[in-house]
Amino acid sequence: LAKTTQPISMDSYEGQEVNITCSHNNIATNDYITWYQQFPSQGPRFIIQGYKTKVTNEVASLFIPADRKSSTLSLPRVSLSDTAVYYCLVGGMDSSYKLIFGSGTRLLVRP
Amino acid sequence: DSGVTQTPKHLITATGQRVTLRCSPRSGDLSVYWYQQSLDQGLQFLIQYYNGEERAKGNILERFSAQQFPDLHSELNLSSLELGDSALYFCASSVASDVNTGELFFGEGSRLTVL
């Protein structure tokens, strides 16, 4: 089962781009990488999912290098409301279906 | 609104008691996952069901049990409660049995306080 490692916390300012990197050195061939956002006392919310290269949606981009041993969630022009915990999750068909969340990255956006 | 409904939203009980948390997945979702989140802690995976059958088990205590019914709703039973069981319990659902083919939709959680 691929274990993930993320920075515990990050600080940023409104309007800046934030990049959060997740390491997953033993990712399996069929594993996908998924990122979630969680606000206090709320359930996590799906942000983006990818397998390789780059994926972009209306809220974020996900960059995955060729070796897939890491991934970077990019949040363009963050606002105060982006202050949350961000989780990187790795899993797939060959995994044990135990969808394990790591400790997450606590992002604080300052005015 | 994720479409996943959890009840009750809040529950206060005493040590040694037993409680049942209920989850109704999104319409059409066959998988249900249960997670525990203690204060300032990450999400601990407890158990997953797919179409009524247990699919994966995490660090779920023997005092805890769960099931998924034919109508696909799920219940998490917590017994012989201890102070340390106080936490937010989240249910999530997805269409497929694994995360590859889609995202997890989380409910708002049931906050359990054991006194």
Side-chain angles (χ1 to χ4, degrees):
Chain A
L1 187 66
K3 176 178 162 58
T4 60
T5 303
Q6 305 173 231
I8 294 174
S9 63
M10 294 182 67
D11 278 15
S12 183
Y13 290 91
E14 278 190 297
Q16 289 190 333
E17 178 184 74
V18 171
N19 295 308
I20 306 174
T21 297
C22 179
S23 297
H24 27 80
N25 290 321
N26 58 339
I27 187 169
T29 301
N30 289 338
D31 282 349
Y32 275 65
I33 300 153
T34 312
W35 286 79
Y36 287 84
Q37 175 193 56
Q38 185 181 28
F39 298 112
S41 298
Q42 293 187 23
R45 186 180 67 172
F46 173 90
I47 300 175
I48 198 166
Q49 183 180 75
Y51 182 79
K52 62 180 179 180
T53 63
K54 176 182 175 182
V55 179
T56 297
N57 62 23
E58 63 276 9
V59 298
S61 294
L62 178 59
F63 298 92
I64 305 169
D67 66 6
R68 304 200 327 119
K69 293 183 183 299
S70 67
S71 58
T72 299
L73 174 71
S74 181
L75 305 173
R77 297 182 299 281
V78 293
S79 64
L80 298 178
S81 62
D82 292 317
T83 294
V85 179
Y86 292 83
Y87 294 96
C88 164
L89 182 66
V90 175
M93 290 291 285
D94 291 341
S95 299
S96 62
Y97 299 106
K98 297 180 183 180
L99 303 179
I100 307 296
F101 284 73
S103 54
T105 297
R106 191 174 298 273
L107 173 66
L108 174 62
V109 180
R110 302 176 187 274
Chain B
D1 182 3
S2 67
V4 177
T5 303
Q6 290 188 246
T7 57
K9 287 186 172 18
H10 301 277
L11 188 58
I12 300 174
T13 188
T15 55
Q17 296 298 304
R18 171 190 170 95
V19 298
T20 297
L21 309 180
R22 181 187 169 102
C23 170
S24 294
R26 289 189 326 151
S27 177
D29 283 1
L30 300 179
S31 272
V32 170
Y33 309 77
W34 286 98
Y35 287 85
Q36 178 194 56
Q37 188 170 41
S38 303
L39 190 64
D40 291 333
Q41 297 294 312
L43 291 148
Q44 301 297 315
F45 172 74
L46 296 179
I47 199 164
Q48 181 208 357
Y49 282 84
Y50 176 73
N51 204 20
E53 294 190 3
E54 182 183 305
R55 176 58 64 94
K57 185 177 281 192
N59 298 322
I60 187 168
L61 300 173
E62 285 191 8
R63 300 184 286 108
F64 296 0
S65 65
Q67 55 183 326
Q68 185 180 28
F69 295 86
D71 66 353
L72 300 178
H73 91 272
S74 178
E75 293 181 356
L76 178 66
N77 300 297
L78 315 175
S79 62
S80 303
L81 286 169
E82 303 175 359
L83 296 178
D85 297 328
S86 295
L88 258 175
Y89 291 85
F90 289 106
C91 169
S93 72
S94 69
V95 172
S97 61
D98 78 277
V99 72
N100 253 8
T101 52
E103 62 193 83
L104 293 183
F105 295 87
F106 281 81
E108 291 302 308
S110 292
R111 182 175 293 281
L112 172 66
T113 302
V114 182
L115 301 177

